[in-house]
Structure formats: C-alpha cells, structure tokens
Amino acid sequence: MHNNFYFLRQLSKELASKLIGAVLSECFSQSKDELIVRFEIGAESFLIRASLLPSFSCLSFPENFQRARKNSVDLFPESIGRRVSGVRQFNNERSFSITLSGGFELFFKMHGNRTNIILFKDSLVYELFRKNIVADLTLATLDREIDRSYAYFEEHSDDLKAAYFTFGKVVWRYLSDQGFSYKSKPEQWEIIQELLQRLNNPTYYITLLDDKPILSLVEIGEVKKRFDKAIDAANEFYHTFTHLFSFSAGKSRLLIFLRLKFEAGQHYCEKNSARLNELQHENHYKLWADLIMANLHTIAPGSEKVTLENFYEGQAKVEIKLKKDLTPQKNAEIFYKKAKNQHIEFDRLESSVRQKDEVLKVFEQKLEQVEAATDLRALRILQGEFNPEADRKKETGPLPYYEFYFRDFRIWVGKNAQNNDTLTLKLSHKDDLWLHAKDVSGSHVLIKHQSGKNYPKDVIEYAASLAAYNSKRKNESLCPVIVTPKKFVRKRKGDPAGTVVVEREEVIMVIPARL
C-alpha cells in the first residue's frame, strides 16, 4: 500500500507541513530509475528519493544523500530555485504534486510499473523523467470521484472491488480474511464505513505478507513495526524492502553456487571412485610380467602372443599379447612399468578422492549455514568466510580476463581497460553475450556462445552481477547492466581503451556480487 491513495493522501499532508515555503535546490539522477529532489528549509535540507524501477516504485526521505562526483545528471533545471507554495493530493488517485512558484508543478504519478515524475508548467506537461512513457506527455488532471452513498453501494454490490477501486489488493485481502464475502449487505456496508474511518486516520504497519514486506494501513500478515507518521513508515519500508531483496537475492546466488560446487564434487568423487574400483581389479600387468619372466626360456623371440599357465590361479591359461620386435624380457619390463603407473594413479586418485570428500563436508556445512541464515549481516559473514571468487581456477598464463563457470557456461571478465579491448575485439565471437554496467566505467563481460544453446536467465543475471561488481557501481544496492549480443558492440577509431559503442541494448537491474 506504499503507493495506495489512502497512504499518499496522508503522506502529502505531512509533506505540505514540511515543504511549504521551502526552495527546491537540486534535482538529479545517478541511475536511470532513481531521482533525488532536495529542498532547502532555512538552514536544513529535506530530500525525496523516488525509486522508479518498473518492478518496485517507492518514495523515501533520506536524512542525507551523498551525490557522486561523476555519473550524475541534473534534471528539471527549470524547477531549481523555485519556492514551494503547496502540496496537492489528487482525489482518489495514486498521485500528488508539489506546487512551485512560476506556474510549475512537480507531479508524482505512483502507478506501479508506469510510475513517473513529471514537471508541469501552467497545467501543461513540460518535461518527463521517464521519457519512454509517452502517454504521460498528454496527461491531464487525475482527480476521480467516488459515490459513497448506500444506494451506489447496493447498486454495485456484485462488483465492489471495481466500485471501491482505491482500496487495492491488500485491503481486499484483509477484508477477505475477515470473511467479508459471507456477510449480509448491511453488514458489508458497516464494515466498509468502519474501514474508511480507519483509512482516514491510519496506523502504518510494516508487515510480512506471503514472505514479502509491505506497508499497510490495515493490520495484516506478520506485523514487524508500527508507525504514526507516513514519512517514517515510508523510510522503514524502503529499507526493509531493499534489505530483504538484497538478502534474498544474495542468499539465492550463494546457495546456487554452493550447490553447483557440491554437485560437481560429488560427480568427481563418483567418477574417480569407479576408476579406483577398476584399478583394484586391473592387476593383470604385473601378473603378465611375472609369468613372462618365469617362462623366458619357453617364449620364442618375435612372438606376437603367448599362452602361459597362471600358477597364481590354479593353472588357468593366460593369453598375453606381445610386441614382436621386443624381447620377452623387454615386454615384461613394459608390463612392470604399466603396473607401477597404475599403482601411482591409484594412490593419487585415492588421495584426491579423500581430499575432495573433506571439501564436500565443508560445502555441506556451508550449505546448512547459508540455508539457516536469516539476515543480510549473517549472509555477508558467510560470503566473507567462503569467497567464491577465490575458488575459481588459477590462471595458467597472462590472460586478459578472469574466467568463471556457471551452469556449464564460461563467463569472461576483463581485467582492465586495455584487457577489455582485447576481450571484446579479439577474443569474442559475434554471438557471445556482452555485458557492462550502464553509464559507468567497468569490466567488459562475455558469456561465451555455445552452439544450439540459448542463454538461461539465471546465467545472464549471474554474469550481470559480475559486471556490476567489477564497475564503479559495485557499492550500490542495485545496478543497471547492459546486455547485448557482441555483434552490436563496436569501437570507433581514436576512442580511449575500453570505450565502445553499443548499437542495440537491453538493461537489467541486478545486485553487484562477486559470486
């Protein structure tokens, strides 16, 4: 309900009490889906952070925000220096606007995946934050009226969700849990009137519903915190959501990594245990050598094979193939050497399987610890104790990239600007998938093409997290990453090392991670 009309109505009231008379001093963005607006109130500042991801749009109000020296852009320059004269909540709508001097309005349209910030001048659209939502160019007033009479309720009793569209999914879920649909019409009417009173004077709840954090104006799910002020609730919800999102995504990635390593270790042990079993029963080389040495006087020179009595196994006959250009004694020496090599291989494999078993125990223990982790701090401690990056294979030469493996896909990460050029321009295939953190310097990343195979979503997200981590955005909570086939990446003559032009791109949001 953090974008619900009833919440935004209370939020806009609190904003009005803080912002009327303030001056808008700064409006900038450091990523394509986030806008920071700063107001000056006397000697103090008030910040609005609008997170406009299609998958998660939310307002929060940080006490401070350190603007980066690079990779940030000023927006809505016409709004700078203008004084706030009011905050207007639109009737029965998930939108409000901050009225500025000179006929300007900063309009917050909180419509889920079509959320946008729009600057109006004299009631006409002047500039959009998300310019791809072209329908907002012709946006008019959003005020909507709802008939609150009993007659209207009775007339629309068969489709109350449409009649009371401002309630939203959470409120209707709450009513359903209360057995609303089994009540009589008069009882339903009374419940709605009581609910409206509560929504008009709400308590704000941060709660877990279906294992997801929500901001609610009704008590539902597993309540974690209660607030009396909308701004405080919005801040707590933003931090709770982003923390839980980071935790869930990080935990999922670490579990996938550990499980893949554990399964690979199990496969290694199974394969080499089978080979050990074969070696235990393949002792014929020494037997053949012993039989040849015991029967040297009976083996004619130049023989290609010989049949000898096996005095080790009850006089059974054994046929032995020989190299005809070697003496019987030389043939025996070769068989003794093969027997010795088998013994060396057996000892090496036995030691290797024993060591791998110990590693598997560590993986199994780490899997249990990660599965039991309940917060981001505990998860990060585990990541620090068990660093997946340090586990990758040591490079055997001066390669210009680090190599990772995920679900049988090879992922190459450039080491520096010059290496990025080598990786992208000399070592790539046109059908490789190329990734790079958007609008900042960082490593070029390639997912190597495999004939007949598509790139799975989790492989792309894994590689994107590496691209994000190996960039200037490594410390951000979410990072936009460009994803495109290598054939759409080119370099212009004279461009600095590592600089390329991307002719076609998609952008995904990921958490920077070293996994």
Side-chain angles (χ1 to χ4, degrees):
M1 293 185 71
H2 60 287
N3 291 332
N4 180 274
F5 159 70
Y6 295 100
F7 176 73
L8 293 177
R9 183 171 60 176
Q10 302 299 325
L11 179 65
S12 60
K13 289 178 183 177
E14 291 186 19
L15 290 177
S17 68
K18 288 182 174 292
L19 293 179
I20 291 177
V23 174
L24 197 159
S25 61
E26 202 172 16
C27 193
F28 65 92
S29 178
Q30 295 182 179
S31 69
K32 72 169 195 169
D33 293 307
E34 185 176 78
L35 179 70
I36 307 297
V37 186
R38 185 188 301 274
F39 298 89
E40 303 304 329
I41 310 169
E44 298 182 353
S45 295
F46 184 84
L47 290 159
I48 299 178
R49 173 172 49 203
S51 302
L52 308 181
L53 285 167
S55 58
F56 176 66
S57 58
C58 178
L59 297 177
S60 58
F61 310 90
E63 291 186 2
N64 52 66
F65 189 95
Q66 191 65 40
R67 183 174 182 177
R69 293 181 181 178
K70 297 181 180 180
N71 304 311
S72 67
V73 58
D74 290 309
L75 296 172
F76 302 148
E78 295 296 329
S79 67
I80 305 303
R82 300 192 179 275
R83 193 171 296 277
V84 177
S85 58
V87 179
R88 177 190 175 195
Q89 171 65 47
F90 289 86
N91 225 4
N92 299 309
E93 250 302 337
R94 295 172 293 165
S95 304
F96 67 91
S97 66
I98 298 174
T99 308
L100 304 170
S101 57
F104 284 90
E105 267 185 286
L106 196 59
F107 183 93
F108 292 77
K109 181 176 76 104
M110 308 304 295
H111 284 197
N113 61 4
R114 301 194 64 78
T115 293
N116 206 354
I117 312 298
I118 306 163
L119 184 65
F120 278 79
K121 182 180 181 183
D122 299 328
S123 300
L124 295 175
V125 174
Y126 189 82
E127 189 176 352
L128 304 179
F129 176 71
R130 293 176 67 188
K131 294 177 173 56
N132 60 312
I133 308 179
V134 293
D136 287 346
L137 289 169
T138 56
L139 194 67
T141 182
L142 295 177
D143 283 315
R144 302 168 78 176
E145 296 300 325
I146 296 178
D147 188 339
R148 300 292 189 189
S149 68
Y150 183 80
Y152 181 83
F153 161 81
E154 194 169 34
E155 182 183 350
H156 295 83
S157 59
D158 291 335
D159 192 9
L160 290 175
K161 287 186 179 181
Y164 294 90
F165 56 86
T166 53
F167 283 176
K169 293 180 181 179
V170 173
V171 171
W172 283 110
R173 170 79 174 269
Y174 168 79
L175 290 173
S176 177
D177 291 348
Q178 306 301 314
F180 179 81
S181 59
Y182 300 105
K183 306 292 185 182
S184 66
K185 286 184 181 179
E187 288 175 320
Q188 289 181 340
W189 169 255
E190 289 299 325
I191 290 171
I192 287 176
Q193 301 314 301
E194 291 174 7
L195 178 62
L196 286 169
Q197 289 182 11
R198 194 182 314 174
L199 294 175
N200 289 332
N201 298 282
T203 295
Y204 308 100
Y205 303 95
I206 305 300
T207 179
L208 284 180
L209 186 63
D210 299 330
D211 296 323
K212 293 181 180 179
I214 63 167
L215 192 163
S216 175
L217 275 62
V218 292
E219 195 167 352
I220 189 172
E222 183 185 347
V223 174
K224 295 295 185 180
K225 292 186 178 180
R226 292 174 171 81
F227 294 90
D228 295 323
K229 295 185 180 298
I231 289 177
D232 293 341
N235 285 334
E236 182 64 25
F237 171 69
Y238 175 82
H239 291 303
T240 300
F241 186 93
T242 53
H243 178 91
L244 189 62
F245 181 85
S246 298
F247 169 73
S248 298
K251 183 174 182 177
S252 176
R253 290 181 188 282
L254 190 55
L255 283 173
I256 289 171
F257 179 87
L258 290 173
R259 284 168 183 156
L260 287 172
K261 287 289 187 182
F262 186 77
E263 290 169 6
Q266 283 184 316
H267 178 70
Y268 177 90
C269 288
E270 290 169 2
K271 182 178 71 174
N272 287 290
S273 294
R275 177 60 181 157
L276 281 172
N277 189 53
E278 289 176 7
L279 290 173
Q280 277 186 316
H281 295 87
E282 286 182 3
N283 58 354
H284 52 266
Y285 288 128
K286 186 176 185 305
L287 170 66
W288 291 353
D290 288 344
L291 292 180
I292 289 170
M293 293 301 294
N295 292 278
L296 284 176
H297 61 287
T298 66
I299 302 173
S303 298
E304 292 187 9
K305 62 180 178 180
V306 63
T307 301
L308 302 172
E309 289 186 358
N310 181 3
F311 46 77
Y312 291 108
E313 298 179 5
Q315 308 303 314
K317 298 287 185 179
V318 176
E319 184 178 271
I320 306 172
K321 290 184 179 180
L322 304 173
K323 293 185 177 181
K324 65 179 181 179
D325 54 336
L326 298 179
T327 65
Q329 187 170 350
K330 285 291 184 183
N331 274 288
E333 288 177 6
I334 289 173
F335 289 139
Y336 277 131
K337 187 174 182 180
K338 287 185 176 181
K340 181 180 179 181
N341 288 342
Q342 275 189 331
H343 182 72
I344 292 171
E345 182 184 3
F346 182 89
D347 288 345
R348 180 180 61 79
L349 283 177
E350 190 176 46
S351 174
S352 181
V353 169
R354 186 166 55 249
Q355 289 175 11
K356 186 63 73 173
D357 277 334
E358 293 302 316
V359 172
L360 284 176
K361 290 177 184 176
V362 174
F363 276 114
E364 196 167 21
Q365 181 185 24
K366 291 298 178 184
L367 274 168
E368 291 175 357
Q369 291 174 347
V370 173
E371 286 171 344
T374 57
D375 60 68
L376 193 58
R377 184 166 177 262
L379 187 67
R380 284 174 174 165
I381 291 172
L382 288 169
Q383 287 174 325
E385 291 175 356
F386 187 85
N387 185 353
E389 184 183 10
D391 189 64
R392 68 174 183 265
K393 294 181 179 179
K394 292 182 180 179
E395 298 172 52
T396 56
L399 294 174
Y401 57 83
Y402 299 108
E403 187 169 57
F404 295 79
Y405 286 86
F406 188 77
R407 286 191 55 183
D408 296 328
F409 280 84
R410 287 182 299 160
I411 301 171
W412 292 354
V413 179
K415 293 180 177 178
N416 54 44
Q418 288 75 23
N419 290 162
N420 283 340
D421 278 354
T422 303
L423 179 65
T424 298
L425 304 176
K426 296 181 179 180
L427 302 180
S428 62
H429 183 275
K430 67 183 180 68
D431 292 323
D432 290 346
L433 207 58
W434 187 90
L435 303 95
H436 192 281
K438 187 170 177 62
D439 299 330
V440 293
S441 59
S443 293
H444 295 192
V445 175
L446 290 176
I447 306 176
K448 297 302 292 177
H449 169 70
Q450 296 186 40
S451 180
K453 280 191 177 183
N454 294 324
Y455 295 102
K457 182 180 177 183
D458 56 345
V459 173
I460 295 173
E461 290 177 346
Y462 183 93
S465 290
L466 291 173
Y469 183 82
N470 290 279
S471 78
K472 295 283 188 178
R473 295 185 186 273
K474 66 182 290 184
N475 294 318
E476 295 185 13
S477 56
L478 287 172
C479 172
V481 175
I482 296 169
V483 181
T484 188
K486 158 55 186 64
K487 61 187 175 184
F488 297 122
V489 181
R490 62 183 176 85
K491 189 175 184 71
R492 294 173 300 199
K493 187 175 181 179
D495 278 350
T499 302
V500 294
V501 175
V502 181
E503 296 175 341
R504 188 182 301 177
E505 68 180 49
E506 291 184 13
V507 176
I508 63 173
M509 300 297 298
V510 296
I511 297 171
R514 295 188 296 178
L515 300 183

